[in-house]
Amino acid sequence: MSESPRFDRGHTDDLMTFLAASPTPYHAVANSAERLEKAGFRQVAETDAWDGTTGGRYVLRGGAIIAWYVPEGAAPHTPFRIVGAHTDSPNLRVKPRPDTGAHGFRQVAVEIYGGPLMNSWLDRDLGLAGRLSLRDGSTRLVDVHRPLLRVPQLAIHLDRSVSSDGLKLDKQRHLQPIWGLGDDVRDGDLIAFLEQEAGLPAGSVTGWDLMTYAVEPPAYLGRDQELLAGPRMDNLLSVHAGTAALAAVATSGTEPAHIPVLAAFDHEETGSQSDTGADGPLLGTVLERSVLARGGSYEDRARAFAGTVCLSSDTGHAVHPNYAERHDPTHHPRVNGGPILKVNVNNRYATDGSGRALFAAACERAGVPFQTFVSNNSMPCGTTIGPITAARHGIRTVDIGAAILSMHSARELCGTDDPFLLANALVAFLEG
């Protein structure tokens, strides 16, 4: 075991900063890139020719980032060590015609993205953020980080059945947020407002990818502050840990035996089938171009991929104290118990026995405990980018993550130790 971990409670403090500054996938990858730049990485454009020199590089595409570090002496067939994650979270996203309203309220038309716990979005102060596409072909990030919208819940006096039958929400009718008063709803009002917020000329925005988010900041919770409550932990907790681990390996002064990579994709919550999703060609293209830039051939590419391993890092389910029967009776991951190894024999996760051994070795080197998650046989199992990565690229993949509660809520809960324990395990893995 290592004598001391690379990361400690300060890593969790920094995670809180990262979560608050990353309300959308576009902001998340921009923040990840900024941190990598400080570690000596430089951005390369996909449209430019790449060279094979040593050092750190990254590619940005929409809400995805692929970053890698080529150590001194790396051969064209040197395998990769990849930390995979995703940048998107379930939320409410703005429709193409956003301006709507009724009965004296001005509202914003939204569409449900992914599988959110819809009740968690009620009666929260919501900000609005995302990407604006301009008439000249450029894009601009925007973030209205203040209470701007709210989805008001119906008073219990008008729905007495909610106490006996539970809350029932119609996705179309009941989740449209309000953002003002007035009957004079006009097309273009919201975008005109955002142009002013972003300091852009009127009429310059011709496209947008916008989403709501809860503006309440992350916070430590509990008598001894052993818990962390915050938004988008699924899966920015892993993006942050992967970014920190890659930067640490690249600046350690010791050249790794493999080429360490961070691959953070968009659209995992909706199936990963996009040009920035794990089921798209982005990762394979970047890795192959890295091989070729170092003078490699197809044979070198095949050799590199054959020796490559990916840790698909995504949050998983901690045992819930009020619903323990929903978990497998012999697998109860606890918060602050270290990262979890996810196993499913039906390939909803990509882990097998050899992958378990590899992850166990990394955790041992890092001095980090780990746990195992298996679904209750009576419950359907979720999935990750792990099986997609393994099948699409022929890369050996292991599914891991941090254990949390309230997954897919507007505000999730983890242990304060688990973020830095995960980051330490990722460093040991990337070092090889």
Side-chain angles (χ1 to χ4, degrees), residues 20 64 87 94 98 103 132 139 143 149 164 181 214 223 236 243 254 263 266 361 369 395 422:
T87 61
V94 175
H103 306 289
L132 302 174
T139 60
D143 181 9
L149 307 104
S164 57
L181 299 175
R223 184 193 66 179
L236 294 188
T243 301
T254 302
D266 202 352
I395 289 174
L422 174 63

Side-chain angles (χ1 to χ4, degrees), residues 296-374:
S297 62
Y298 179 82
E299 182 72 11
D300 293 311
R301 182 256 190 215
R303 292 175 66 189
F305 276 45
T308 292
V309 184
C310 174
L311 286 189
S312 166
S313 181
D314 202 346
T315 54
H317 303 295
V319 62
H320 197 300
N322 300 337
Y323 300 91
E325 73 280 359
R326 302 296 182 97
H327 299 263
D328 182 86
T330 60
H331 295 79
H332 283 173
R334 296 190 176 192
V335 297
N336 286 338
I340 57 175
L341 182 77
K342 301 180 183 181
V343 179
N344 180 265
V345 296
N346 295 301
N347 288 332
R348 300 293 286 173
Y349 303 130
T351 307
D352 61 11
S354 64
R356 185 187 194 282
L358 185 146
F359 184 61
C363 288
E364 183 176 3
R365 289 195 301 274
V368 168
F370 76 94
Q371 312 174 81
T372 305
F373 173 82
V374 179

Side-chain angles (χ1 to χ4, degrees), residues 69-344:
Y69 176 79
V70 180
E72 291 284 350
H77 61 270
T78 298
F80 302 91
R81 283 287 178 100
I82 305 167
V83 172
H86 68 88
T87 61
D88 60 319
S89 301
N91 56 18
L92 310 178
R93 301 204 172 188
V94 175
K95 289 184 175 180
R97 294 188 62 183
D99 298 291
T100 186
H103 306 289
F105 287 99
R106 301 179 70 180
Q107 295 176 274
V108 174
V110 296
E111 189 173 5
I112 311 301
Y113 179 84
L117 288 171
M118 293 188 293
N119 63 292
S120 70
W121 289 86
L122 302 177
D123 295 330
R124 287 192 183 272
D125 298 333
L126 303 177
L128 189 64
R131 179 179 65 176
L132 302 174
S133 297
L134 310 186
R135 193 176 300 277
D136 63 5
S138 64
T139 60
R140 180 77 63 86
L141 297 185
V142 64
D143 181 9
V144 184
H145 186 69
R146 64 177 184 271
L148 180 68
L149 307 104
R150 187 179 179 92
V151 182
Q153 187 171 186
L154 184 64
I156 193 171
H157 313 81
L158 303 178
D159 184 14
R160 298 288 184 179
S161 66
V162 71
S163 296
S164 57
D165 299 336
L167 179 65
K168 298 178 182 178
L169 296 173
D170 183 287
K171 294 180 180 180
Q172 178 61 36
R173 294 185 295 120
H174 297 155
L175 291 171
Q176 307 306 310
I178 61 174
W179 74 305
L181 299 175
D183 292 308
D184 57 336
V185 176
R186 297 182 300 271
D187 282 345
D189 278 357
L190 179 67
I191 300 307
F193 164 76
L194 292 175
E195 287 174 335
Q196 291 182 327
E197 288 288 315
L200 296 169
S204 59
V205 174
T206 55
W208 51 89
D209 301 280
L210 300 167
M211 54 205 76
T212 63
Y213 70 96
V215 297
E216 184 182 2
Y220 288 114
L221 184 146
R223 184 193 66 179
D224 299 317
Q225 296 191 331
E226 298 168 299
L227 299 167
L228 173 63
R232 299 176 295 281
M233 292 184 187
D234 179 18
N235 185 34
L236 294 188
L237 190 158
S238 293
V239 175
H240 176 259
T243 301
L246 179 60
V249 171
T251 58
S252 67
T254 302
E255 297 291 67
H258 304 80
I259 296 174
V261 179
L262 169 67
F265 302 100
D266 202 352
H267 303 130
E268 188 271 349
E269 299 292 355
T270 57
S272 296
Q273 291 184 323
S274 70
D275 70 317
T276 53
D279 203 18
L282 182 59
L283 176 61
T285 299
V286 169
L287 298 184
E288 185 169 352
R289 289 186 67 179
S290 175
V291 170
L292 298 177
R294 283 176 280 121
S297 62
Y298 179 82
E299 182 72 11
D300 293 311
R301 182 256 190 215
R303 292 175 66 189
F305 276 45
T308 292
V309 184
C310 174
L311 286 189
S312 166
S313 181
D314 202 346
T315 54
H317 303 295
V319 62
H320 197 300
N322 300 337
Y323 300 91
E325 73 280 359
R326 302 296 182 97
H327 299 263
D328 182 86
T330 60
H331 295 79
H332 283 173
R334 296 190 176 192
V335 297
N336 286 338
I340 57 175
L341 182 77
K342 301 180 183 181
V343 179
N344 180 265

